[in-house]
């Protein structure tokens, strides 16, 4: 029997584990620093995207399967010393994702009220360890937010802020976040800042169309100055989806504001050049992309959120490519008996399903390497020592422990008339998970 350790219980870690145990001679231990499994699905996917979140049912089958063990609340590099996994397992696979943020590198980014997607997304998803609380409006007042970036995460953030409590009350968004969306993070205007033209964005059509549906209920969606900048060429719109996106933007550009309570305004072909404010953010200056020295417009804002892609974080003991924010690898191979999968392998792009093929590729390579190794080494004593050591250090949460948390969240949800309410307090999560039933 070969024993594999996986660090990271998000979709990539789960897909890798599922691929591994298809081989009856393999067992897998999955470690995660959080007491809960599912990583990006639980703390990255937008709370109103219930269908995408439901992939947790598939991942649960893997974590609950024979020959797979889950150890939550265990941090590699803190609770597990670097090197200890290699002593205890035949191979170690890291699927730690990309949880850091990228900055614009412009003046004013240190002002209060400047946030990144890596702050906001974990916050509204109730992450127990990450995500600063947004404080952008005074109780009873509405605020204006600019979001920089033309990817789907920008659209998620805009939608969640504009929906507010009323639009999210049937989701698992924690009560503390809904209360904040009512008071000090209450937003009625969002500007999305796109450095390219409208024909050249990474937003996907279904995510844009969600705003069309919201506009039937009190949301004005417009294009700043009705300006789509340069007309696209036939080649730009060769892809039918690009044509549909362009048609949608063109329709929005001709729309007259109806006086709705909430507004979403897209700006195309402009780049942020500075953020100003006394103590906190109050203005964002934009320049025409490619002409960065000539300011074109200034918008009054209460907060700026930079959503220009996530960044992977270095893993103790492994090489790191700081430019690309990934662990250098070849088909997932990242050193002796060391492998990577998911965003830390290929960078922060692609929908959840893309990680299945990515993790499958790494696991195929890993299993080939294992079967090519000339001798079996018995690491069972090192494994026992490691697991015993963890129990003295950090209260690991096993799969039954997670199921207790799951159950507690579902029960909490019934109090609020929804399927689940997330528990956000880290200590409370561990207490629930490790409670011994009388
Ligand atoms: P993304 O798709 O890579 O988009 C990042 C955006 O930031 C790009 O539009 C990029 O512009 C822009 N950008 C980068 N540097 C910039 C700068 N200095 N100034 C201005 N703009 C800058 O990243 P993401 O939105 O974080 O999404 C990550 C992945 O998750 C994507 O594959 C996304 O599709 C996926 N996702 C999917 C869903 C869904 O399916 N519902 C939801 C969320 C995320 P350029 O295009 O000009 O480089």
């Amino acid at each position: 029997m070969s024993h594999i350790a996986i660090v990271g219980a998000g979709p990539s870690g789960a897909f890798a584990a599922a691929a591994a145990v298809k081989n009856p001679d393999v067992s897998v231990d999955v470690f995660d620093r959080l007491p809960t499994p599912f990583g990006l699905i639980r703390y990255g996917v937008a709370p109103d995207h219930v269908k995408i979140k439901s992939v947790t049912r598939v991942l649960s089958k893997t974590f609950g399967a024979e020959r797979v063990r889950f150890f939550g609340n265990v941090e590699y590099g803190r609770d597990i010393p670097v090197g200890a996994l290699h002593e205890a397992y035949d191979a170690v696979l890291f699927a730690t994702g990309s949880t850091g943020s990228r900055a614009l590198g412009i003046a004013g980014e240190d002002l209060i009220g400047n946030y990144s997607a890596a702050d906001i997304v974990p916050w509204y998803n109730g992450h127990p360890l990450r995500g600063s609380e947004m404080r952008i409006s005074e109780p009873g007042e509405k605020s204006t937010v600019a979001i920089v970036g033309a990817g789907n995460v920008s659209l998620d953030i805009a939608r969640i802020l504009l929906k507010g409590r009323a639009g999210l009350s049937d989701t698992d968004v924690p009560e503390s976040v809904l209360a904040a969306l009512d008071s000090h993070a209450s937003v009625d205007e969002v500007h999305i800042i796109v450095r390219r033209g409208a024909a050249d964005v990474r937003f996907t059509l279904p995510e844009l169309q969600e705003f069309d549906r919201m506009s039937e209920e009190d949301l004005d969606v417009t294009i700043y100055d009705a300006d789509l900048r340069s007309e696209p060429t036939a080649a730009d719109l060769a892809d039918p989806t690009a044509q549909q996106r362009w048609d949608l933007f063109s329709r929005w550009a001709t729309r007259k504001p109806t006086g709705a309570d909430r507004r979403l305004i897209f700006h195309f072909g402009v780049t942020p050049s500075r953020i100003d404010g006394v103590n906190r953010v109050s203005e964002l200056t934009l320049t025409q992309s490619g002409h960065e020295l000539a300011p074109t417009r200034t918008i009054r804002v209460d907060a700026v959120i930079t959503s220009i892609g996530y960044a992977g974080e270095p893993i103790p003991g492994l090489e790191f490519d700081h430019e690309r924010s990934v662990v250098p690898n070849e088909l997932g191979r990242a050193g002796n008996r060391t492998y990577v999968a998911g965003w830390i392998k290929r960078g922060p792009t692609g929908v959840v399903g893309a990680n299945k093929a990515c993790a499958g590729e790494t696991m195929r390579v890993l299993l080939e390497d294992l079967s090519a190794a000339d001798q079996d080494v018995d690491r069972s004593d090192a494994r026992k020592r490691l697991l015993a050591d963890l129990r003295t250090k950090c209260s690991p949460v096993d799969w039954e422990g997670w199921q207790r948390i799951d159950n507690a969240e579902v029960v909490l949800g019934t109090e609020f008339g929804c399927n689940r309410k997330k528990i956000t307090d880290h200590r409370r999560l561990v207490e629930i998970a490790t409670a011994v039933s009388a």
Side-chain angles (χ1 to χ4, degrees):
M1 178 76 77
S2 297
H3 299 274
I4 298 172
I6 295 180
V7 180
S12 297
F15 289 136
V21 295
K22 278 191 187 148
N23 182 327
D25 293 326
V26 171
S27 80
V28 177
D29 286 346
V30 184
F31 300 90
D32 200 292
R33 64 181 160 193
L34 292 180
T36 52
F38 312 133
L40 188 78
I41 306 292
R42 187 172 155 95
Y43 293 117
V45 169
D48 57 343
H49 278 176
V50 178
K51 198 160 167 222
I52 305 179
K53 292 239 185 220
S54 71
V55 76
T56 55
R57 284 205 285 274
V58 177
L59 308 189
S60 292
K61 284 196 182 132
T62 298
F63 289 131
E66 247 185 89
R67 291 180 284 114
V68 178
R69 294 188 294 182
F70 171 71
F71 296 91
N73 198 35
V74 174
E75 183 162 343
Y76 179 77
R78 186 194 64 184
D79 306 316
I80 303 177
V82 173
L85 286 181
H86 287 84
E87 278 173 33
Y89 293 87
D90 301 304
V92 184
L93 184 150
F94 293 90
T96 48
S98 303
T99 51
S101 55
R102 295 179 54 227
L104 290 164
I106 59 172
E109 282 190 281
D110 52 349
L111 285 168
I112 296 169
N114 181 58
Y115 301 94
S116 75
D119 298 321
I120 301 306
V121 174
W123 169 67
Y124 62 58
N125 266 309
H127 195 294
L129 301 177
R130 294 174 64 95
S132 49
E133 190 166 299
M134 281 189 102
R135 289 207 153 263
I136 54 175
S137 61
E138 295 301 323
E141 289 187 14
K142 295 283 184 183
S143 57
T144 299
V145 169
I147 305 174
V148 181
N152 280 340
V153 172
S154 291
L155 299 185
D156 281 350
I157 297 170
R159 203 178 60 252
I160 296 301
L161 293 179
L162 288 167
K163 278 190 170 179
R165 179 194 276 279
L168 297 168
S169 55
D170 60 345
T171 67
D172 65 4
V173 172
E175 186 50 32
S176 57
V177 174
L178 293 180
L181 289 169
D182 255 352
S183 54
H184 52 263
S186 173
V187 174
D188 66 352
E189 184 165 300
V190 172
H191 295 257
I192 296 190
I193 315 299
V194 179
R195 64 179 173 183
R196 296 178 194 253
D200 195 13
V201 289
R202 298 197 201 173
F203 306 133
T204 52
L205 189 64
E207 279 62 32
L208 286 169
Q209 286 167 331
E210 288 185 64
F211 293 108
D212 234 7
R213 284 194 291 279
M214 283 171 70
S215 67
E216 286 160 16
E217 301 162 16
D218 208 24
L219 173 74
D220 274 338
V221 187
T222 53
I223 310 296
Y224 183 87
D225 228 4
D227 184 6
L228 291 178
R229 304 260 141 196
S230 51
E231 275 289 320
T233 62
D236 291 335
L237 301 180
D239 169 4
T241 315
Q243 178 72 57
Q244 285 171 295
R245 266 193 317 241
W246 176 260
D247 292 346
L248 187 60
F249 288 133
S250 304
R251 183 153 56 76
W252 286 345
T254 57
R255 254 195 200 161
K256 296 269 172 287
T258 64
D261 281 345
R262 298 167 300 162
R263 291 165 298 286
L264 175 64
I265 301 131
F266 286 86
H267 299 245
F268 292 108
V270 284
T271 302
S273 60
R274 56 179 300 121
I275 303 170
D276 288 292
V278 179
N279 299 326
R280 60 168 302 136
V281 166
S282 65
E283 273 183 3
L284 175 68
T285 300
L286 305 171
T287 58
Q288 196 179 331
S289 300
H291 300 85
E292 270 74 17
L293 293 178
T296 58
R297 70 189 74 143
T298 297
I299 42 182
R300 197 205 62 72
V301 289
D302 300 292
V304 174
I305 301 172
T306 305
S307 175
I308 57 171
Y310 289 102
E313 286 173 349
I315 297 172
L318 267 64
E319 265 185 66
F320 195 69
D321 177 342
H322 287 271
E323 190 104 325
R324 296 183 52 231
S325 291
V326 296
V327 170
N329 70 89
E330 219 170 287
L331 301 175
R333 234 184 239 113
N336 185 27
R337 298 192 288 118
T338 307
Y339 301 84
V340 284
W343 281 6
I344 198 66
K345 169 185 170 187
R346 61 175 210 284
T349 57
V351 293
V352 173
N355 293 304
K356 189 169 184 186
C358 174
E361 175 186 72
T362 299
M363 193 46 71
R364 181 179 50 74
V365 167
L366 184 158
L367 293 174
E368 278 168 16
D369 289 354
L370 276 185
S371 66
D374 13 324
Q375 61 187 52
D376 275 349
V377 179
D378 182 2
R379 303 178 200 276
S380 52
D381 284 346
R383 220 163 27 253
K384 275 186 207 134
R385 272 199 308 279
L386 173 85
L387 299 179
D389 198 29
L390 284 182
R391 278 188 278 276
T392 65
K393 274 184 181 161
C394 62
S395 309
V397 170
D398 60 14
W399 190 246
E400 285 71 36
W402 153 248
Q403 287 173 319
R404 280 183 212 115
I405 296 175
D406 188 26
N407 192 41
E409 291 190 338
V410 171
V411 170
L412 187 61
T414 57
E415 278 177 36
F416 294 93
C418 53
N419 293 337
R420 169 189 304 276
K421 273 286 158 207
K422 279 211 191 105
I423 297 167
T424 59
D425 183 68
H426 183 259
R427 223 174 41 192
R428 180 82 194 113
L429 287 168
V430 177
E431 269 170 18
I432 295 170
T434 53
V436 181
S437 39

